[in-house]
Amino acid sequence: MIILGIESSCDETAAALVTADRQVLAHRLLGQEAAHAPFGGVVPEIAARAHVEALEPLIVAALADAGLKLADVDAIAATAGPGLIGGVMVGLVTGKALAHAAGKPLIAVNHLEGHALSPRLSDPDLAFPYLLLLVSGGHCQLLLVEGVGAYRRLATTIDDAAGEAFDKTAKILGLGFPGGPAVERAAALGNPKAVPLPRPLKGSAEPHFSFAGLKSAVARVVGDYPPEDIAASFQAAVVDCLIDRTTRALNGLTVTPTALVVAGGVAANGAVRGALQTLAATRGLRFVAPPLWLCTDNAAMIAWAGAERFAAGLTDPLDTAARPRWPLDPAAEAVRGAGVKA
Ligand code: KG4
Ligand code: ZN
């Protein structure tokens, strides 16, 4: 069984072909960093136009890489949200058109489900339930992944996502865009204890994350310390918060997870991965993190989520709507704070 995956919810246009037995036959990706760099962040209108231009050639190239025709594909999985709505619509409409033209089923994938199930693509032994820390540019959540389509949200951010904090810190320090990798490189040259920075919600009885205060604190000390020391101290503060909140979630679980898992763009960060690995070891848990290319946005994770849903008999009608917001756990309570994306 072969699934074509399409991703266009943020600033990466991507197409991939993945089989139900975990072979990635092709995966193509075109980033838009250069187009957004002058603005220091993703501009939705520019992103949507870039997806329109890039997507079809990427699908054609992915099929050619795999030596396949559209007729060889068993189903088409496209991200249907959450994300920047113009971009999501480009990918979803393309998926619908291909599904209709080729007479194949459509699978509308939640982008967060793509991240949440991606560790099962790289690790065939990863069984449900697992505790997932999903840390990306748009999201920072702890989820108990109980099965395909069964996600319990244990915590989310009340303001900024962790990746957003990395991106804003990079902007404040003048390190460029995208910020996460730039902050990590600068941090490698700095002293993580040099700058006193807050750890918002660390030790709090509520389960959630908060990063807005940390970002503001960075803005207040800029110029007082070498940027490398600020970057290193910022990264250490983020790691502290992630570990504290993840530990709290582990302590509150009523089931024993098979593993501690991290996914999403910030999972590419070495300090974050290292600290989570240590936490897992102290709790006697397996630690699973997808390879770096599978952590940041890509279409293989969308194809894989499509394969998991298809195997469970889940397909979607061609009038499925694109959704700018789409919580993975519909039962999760709304949290205080504004600007929360899911
Ligand atoms: O999952 P992703 O590619 O897109 C979203 O769905 O948001 O995550 C992108 C985020 C960006 O905020 C980026 O700065 C961050 O992941 N990121 C990193 C690193 N690589 C990417 N953050 C910290 N360290 C990194 N090495
Ligand atoms: Zn993502």
Side-chain angles (χ1 to χ4, degrees), residues 27-79:
H27 98 94
R28 286 267 183 165
L29 186 144
L30 196 67
Q32 305 173 358
E33 286 83 5
H36 299 294
F39 306 95
V42 179
V43 183
E45 181 64 22
I46 293 175
R49 285 164 190 258
H51 288 305
V52 170
E53 283 173 24
L55 186 53
E56 197 205 331
L58 282 175
I59 294 169
V60 170
L63 285 166
D65 291 347
L68 295 172
K69 296 185 294 296
L70 189 57
D72 302 322
V73 168
D74 294 288
I76 293 162
T79 299

Coordinates of all heavy atoms in Angstrom, one line a residue, residues 27-79:
H27 N 10.9 11.6 -0.7 CA 10.4 12.7 0.0 C 11.1 14.0 -0.5 O 12.3 14.1 -0.5 CB 10.4 12.5 1.5 CG 11.6 13.0 2.3 ND1 11.5 14.3 2.9 CD2 12.8 12.5 2.5 CE1 12.7 14.5 3.4 NE2 13.5 13.5 3.2
R28 N 10.3 14.9 -0.9 CA 10.7 16.2 -1.5 C 10.2 17.3 -0.6 O 9.1 17.3 -0.1 CB 10.2 16.3 -2.9 CG 10.8 15.4 -3.9 CD 12.0 16.1 -4.6 NE 12.6 15.3 -5.6 CZ 13.4 15.9 -6.5 NH1 13.7 17.2 -6.6 NH2 14.0 15.1 -7.4
L29 N 11.0 18.3 -0.5 CA 10.7 19.4 0.3 C 11.3 20.7 -0.2 O 12.5 20.7 -0.7 CB 11.2 19.1 1.7 CG 10.9 20.0 2.9 CD1 10.7 19.2 4.1 CD2 12.0 21.0 3.1
L30 N 10.5 21.8 -0.2 CA 11.1 23.1 -0.6 C 10.8 24.1 0.5 O 9.6 24.4 0.8 CB 10.5 23.5 -1.9 CG 11.2 24.6 -2.6 CD1 12.6 24.2 -3.1 CD2 10.4 25.1 -3.8
G31 N 11.8 24.6 1.2 CA 11.6 25.6 2.2 C 11.5 27.0 1.6 O 11.8 27.2 0.5
Q32 N 10.9 27.9 2.4 CA 10.7 29.2 1.9 C 11.5 30.3 2.7 O 11.1 31.4 2.7 CB 9.2 29.6 2.0 CG 8.3 28.6 1.3 CD 6.8 28.9 1.5 OE1 6.4 29.8 2.3 NE2 5.9 28.1 0.9
E33 N 12.5 29.8 3.4 CA 13.2 30.7 4.3 C 13.6 32.0 3.6 O 13.4 33.1 4.2 CB 14.5 30.0 4.8 CG 14.3 28.9 5.9 CD 14.0 27.6 5.2 OE1 14.0 27.5 4.0 OE2 13.6 26.7 6.0
A34 N 14.2 31.9 2.4 CA 14.7 33.1 1.7 C 13.6 34.1 1.5 O 13.8 35.3 1.6 CB 15.3 32.7 0.4
A35 N 12.3 33.6 1.2 CA 11.2 34.5 0.9 C 10.8 35.3 2.1 O 10.3 36.4 2.1 CB 10.1 33.7 0.3
H36 N 10.9 34.6 3.3 CA 10.4 35.2 4.5 C 11.4 35.9 5.4 O 11.1 36.7 6.2 CB 9.7 34.1 5.4 CG 8.6 33.4 4.8 ND1 7.4 34.1 4.5 CD2 8.4 32.1 4.3 CE1 6.6 33.2 3.9 NE2 7.2 32.0 3.8
A37 N 12.7 35.6 5.1 CA 13.8 36.1 5.9 C 13.8 37.6 6.1 O 14.0 38.2 7.2 CB 15.2 35.7 5.4
P38 N 13.5 38.4 5.0 CA 13.5 39.9 5.1 C 12.5 40.4 6.2 O 12.6 41.5 6.7 CB 13.1 40.4 3.7 CG 13.4 39.3 2.8 CD 13.2 38.0 3.6
F39 N 11.5 39.5 6.5 CA 10.4 40.0 7.4 C 10.6 39.4 8.8 O 9.8 39.7 9.7 CB 9.0 39.6 6.8 CG 8.8 40.0 5.4 CD1 9.1 39.2 4.3 CD2 8.4 41.3 5.2 CE1 8.9 39.7 3.0 CE2 8.2 41.8 3.9 CZ 8.5 41.0 2.8
G40 N 11.6 38.5 9.0 CA 11.9 38.0 10.3 C 10.8 37.0 10.8 O 10.7 36.7 12.0
G41 N 10.0 36.5 9.9 CA 9.0 35.5 10.3 C 8.2 35.2 9.0 O 8.3 35.8 8.0
V42 N 7.3 34.2 9.2 CA 6.5 33.7 8.0 C 5.4 34.7 7.7 O 4.6 35.0 8.5 CB 5.9 32.3 8.3 CG1 5.1 31.8 7.1 CG2 7.1 31.3 8.6
V43 N 5.3 35.1 6.4 CA 4.2 36.0 6.0 C 3.2 35.1 5.2 O 3.5 34.5 4.2 CB 4.8 37.1 5.0 CG1 3.7 38.1 4.6 CG2 5.9 37.9 5.7
P44 N 2.0 35.0 5.8 CA 1.0 34.0 5.3 C 0.7 34.2 3.8 O 0.7 33.2 3.1 CB -0.3 34.4 6.1 CG 0.3 34.9 7.4 CD 1.5 35.7 7.0
E45 N 0.6 35.4 3.3 CA 0.3 35.6 1.9 C 1.4 35.1 1.0 O 1.2 34.5 -0.1 CB -0.1 37.1 1.6 CG -0.5 37.4 0.2 CD -1.7 36.7 -0.3 OE1 -2.6 36.3 0.6 OE2 -1.9 36.6 -1.5
I46 N 2.6 35.4 1.4 CA 3.8 35.0 0.6 C 3.9 33.5 0.6 O 4.2 32.8 -0.4 CB 5.1 35.6 1.2 CG1 5.1 37.2 0.9 CG2 6.3 35.0 0.6 CD1 6.2 37.9 1.6
A47 N 3.6 32.9 1.8 CA 3.7 31.4 1.9 C 2.7 30.8 1.0 O 3.0 29.8 0.3 CB 3.4 31.0 3.4
A48 N 1.4 31.3 1.0 CA 0.4 30.6 0.2 C 0.8 30.7 -1.3 O 0.6 29.7 -2.0 CB -0.9 31.3 0.4
R49 N 1.3 31.8 -1.8 CA 1.7 31.9 -3.2 C 2.8 31.0 -3.5 O 2.9 30.4 -4.6 CB 2.1 33.4 -3.5 CG 0.9 34.3 -3.6 CD 1.3 35.7 -3.6 NE 0.1 36.6 -3.4 CZ -0.4 37.3 -4.4 NH1 0.2 37.2 -5.6 NH2 -1.4 38.0 -4.2
A50 N 3.8 30.9 -2.6 CA 4.9 30.0 -2.8 C 4.5 28.5 -2.9 O 5.0 27.8 -3.7 CB 6.0 30.2 -1.7
H51 N 3.5 28.2 -2.0 CA 3.0 26.8 -2.1 C 2.4 26.5 -3.5 O 2.6 25.4 -4.0 CB 2.0 26.5 -1.0 CG 2.5 26.5 0.4 ND1 3.5 25.6 0.8 CD2 2.2 27.2 1.5 CE1 3.8 25.8 2.0 NE2 3.0 26.7 2.5
V52 N 1.6 27.5 -4.0 CA 1.0 27.3 -5.3 C 2.0 27.0 -6.4 O 1.9 26.0 -7.2 CB 0.2 28.5 -5.7 CG1 -0.3 28.4 -7.2 CG2 -1.0 28.7 -4.8
E53 N 3.1 27.7 -6.3 CA 4.2 27.5 -7.3 C 4.9 26.2 -7.2 O 5.3 25.6 -8.1 CB 5.2 28.7 -7.3 CG 4.6 30.0 -7.9 CD 5.6 31.1 -7.7 OE1 6.8 30.9 -7.5 OE2 5.0 32.3 -7.8
A54 N 5.2 25.9 -5.9 CA 6.1 24.8 -5.6 C 5.5 23.4 -5.6 O 6.1 22.4 -6.0 CB 6.8 25.0 -4.3
L55 N 4.2 23.3 -5.3 CA 3.6 22.0 -4.9 C 3.6 21.0 -6.1 O 4.0 19.9 -6.0 CB 2.2 22.1 -4.3 CG 1.6 20.9 -3.7 CD1 2.6 20.1 -2.8 CD2 0.3 21.1 -3.0
E56 N 3.0 21.4 -7.2 CA 2.8 20.5 -8.3 C 4.2 19.9 -8.8 O 4.3 18.7 -8.9 CB 2.1 21.1 -9.5 CG 1.5 20.0 -10.4 CD 1.3 20.5 -11.8 OE1 1.0 21.7 -12.0 OE2 1.4 19.7 -12.8
P57 N 5.2 20.8 -9.0 CA 6.5 20.2 -9.4 C 7.1 19.2 -8.4 O 7.7 18.2 -8.7 CB 7.4 21.4 -9.6 CG 6.5 22.6 -9.8 CD 5.2 22.2 -9.1
L58 N 6.8 19.5 -7.1 CA 7.4 18.6 -6.1 C 6.7 17.2 -6.1 O 7.3 16.2 -5.9 CB 7.2 19.2 -4.7 CG 8.1 20.3 -4.3 CD1 7.7 20.9 -2.9 CD2 9.5 19.8 -4.2
I59 N 5.4 17.2 -6.4 CA 4.7 16.0 -6.4 C 5.2 15.2 -7.7 O 5.4 14.0 -7.6 CB 3.1 16.2 -6.5 CG1 2.6 16.8 -5.2 CG2 2.4 14.9 -6.8 CD1 1.2 17.3 -5.3
V60 N 5.3 15.9 -8.8 CA 5.8 15.2 -10.0 C 7.2 14.6 -9.7 O 7.5 13.5 -10.1 CB 5.9 16.2 -11.2 CG1 6.6 15.6 -12.4 CG2 4.4 16.6 -11.6
A61 N 8.0 15.4 -9.0 CA 9.4 14.9 -8.7 C 9.4 13.8 -7.8 O 10.2 12.8 -8.0 CB 10.2 16.1 -8.2
A62 N 8.6 13.8 -6.8 CA 8.5 12.7 -5.8 C 8.1 11.4 -6.5 O 8.7 10.3 -6.3 CB 7.6 13.0 -4.7
L63 N 7.1 11.5 -7.4 CA 6.6 10.3 -8.1 C 7.8 9.8 -9.0 O 8.0 8.6 -9.1 CB 5.4 10.6 -9.0 CG 4.1 10.8 -8.2 CD1 3.0 11.4 -9.1 CD2 3.6 9.4 -7.7
A64 N 8.5 10.7 -9.7 CA 9.6 10.3 -10.5 C 10.7 9.6 -9.7 O 11.3 8.6 -10.1 CB 10.2 11.5 -11.3
D65 N 11.0 10.2 -8.5 CA 12.0 9.6 -7.6 C 11.7 8.2 -7.3 O 12.6 7.3 -7.2 CB 12.1 10.4 -6.3 CG 12.7 11.8 -6.4 OD1 13.3 12.1 -7.5 OD2 12.6 12.6 -5.5
A66 N 10.4 7.9 -7.1 CA 10.0 6.6 -6.6 C 9.7 5.7 -7.9 O 9.4 4.5 -7.7 CB 8.7 6.7 -5.8
G67 N 9.8 6.2 -9.1 CA 9.5 5.5 -10.3 C 8.0 5.0 -10.4 O 7.7 3.9 -10.8
L68 N 7.2 5.9 -9.9 CA 5.7 5.6 -9.8 C 4.9 6.6 -10.6 O 5.3 7.7 -10.9 CB 5.2 5.6 -8.4 CG 5.8 4.6 -7.4 CD1 5.4 4.9 -6.0 CD2 5.4 3.2 -7.7
K69 N 3.7 6.1 -11.0 CA 2.7 7.0 -11.5 C 1.6 7.2 -10.5 O 1.4 6.4 -9.6 CB 2.1 6.4 -12.8 CG 3.1 6.3 -13.9 CD 2.4 5.8 -15.2 CE 1.9 4.4 -15.1 NZ 2.9 3.3 -14.9
L70 N 0.8 8.3 -10.7 CA -0.3 8.6 -9.7 C -1.2 7.3 -9.6 O -1.7 7.0 -8.5 CB -1.1 9.8 -10.2 CG -2.1 10.3 -9.2 CD1 -1.5 10.7 -7.9 CD2 -2.9 11.5 -9.8
A71 N -1.4 6.6 -10.7 CA -2.3 5.4 -10.7 C -1.7 4.3 -9.7 O -2.5 3.5 -9.2 CB -2.4 4.9 -12.1
D72 N -0.4 4.4 -9.4 CA 0.1 3.3 -8.5 C -0.1 3.6 -7.0 O 0.1 2.8 -6.2 CB 1.7 3.3 -8.7 CG 2.1 3.0 -10.1 OD1 1.3 2.1 -10.8 OD2 3.0 3.5 -10.7
V73 N -0.6 4.9 -6.8 CA -0.8 5.3 -5.4 C -2.1 4.8 -4.9 O -3.1 4.8 -5.7 CB -0.7 6.8 -5.3 CG1 -1.2 7.4 -4.0 CG2 0.7 7.3 -5.6
D74 N -2.2 4.3 -3.6 CA -3.5 3.8 -3.1 C -4.3 4.8 -2.4 O -5.6 4.6 -2.4 CB -3.1 2.7 -2.1 CG -2.5 1.5 -2.8 OD1 -3.2 0.8 -3.5 OD2 -1.2 1.3 -2.6
A75 N -3.7 5.9 -1.9 CA -4.5 6.9 -1.3 C -3.7 8.2 -1.2 O -2.5 8.2 -1.3 CB -5.0 6.5 0.1
I76 N -4.4 9.3 -1.1 CA -3.8 10.6 -1.0 C -4.1 11.3 0.3 O -5.2 11.5 0.7 CB -4.2 11.5 -2.2 CG1 -3.7 10.8 -3.5 CG2 -3.7 12.9 -2.1 CD1 -4.3 11.3 -4.8
A77 N -3.0 11.6 1.1 CA -3.1 12.2 2.4 C -2.6 13.7 2.3 O -1.5 13.9 1.8 CB -2.3 11.5 3.4
A78 N -3.5 14.6 2.7 CA -3.0 16.0 2.7 C -3.3 16.7 4.0 O -4.4 16.4 4.6 CB -3.8 16.8 1.6
T79 N -2.4 17.5 4.4 CA -2.7 18.3 5.7 C -3.9 19.2 5.5 O -4.0 19.9 4.5 CB -1.4 19.2 6.0 OG1 -0.3 18.3 6.2 CG2 -1.7 20.0 7.3

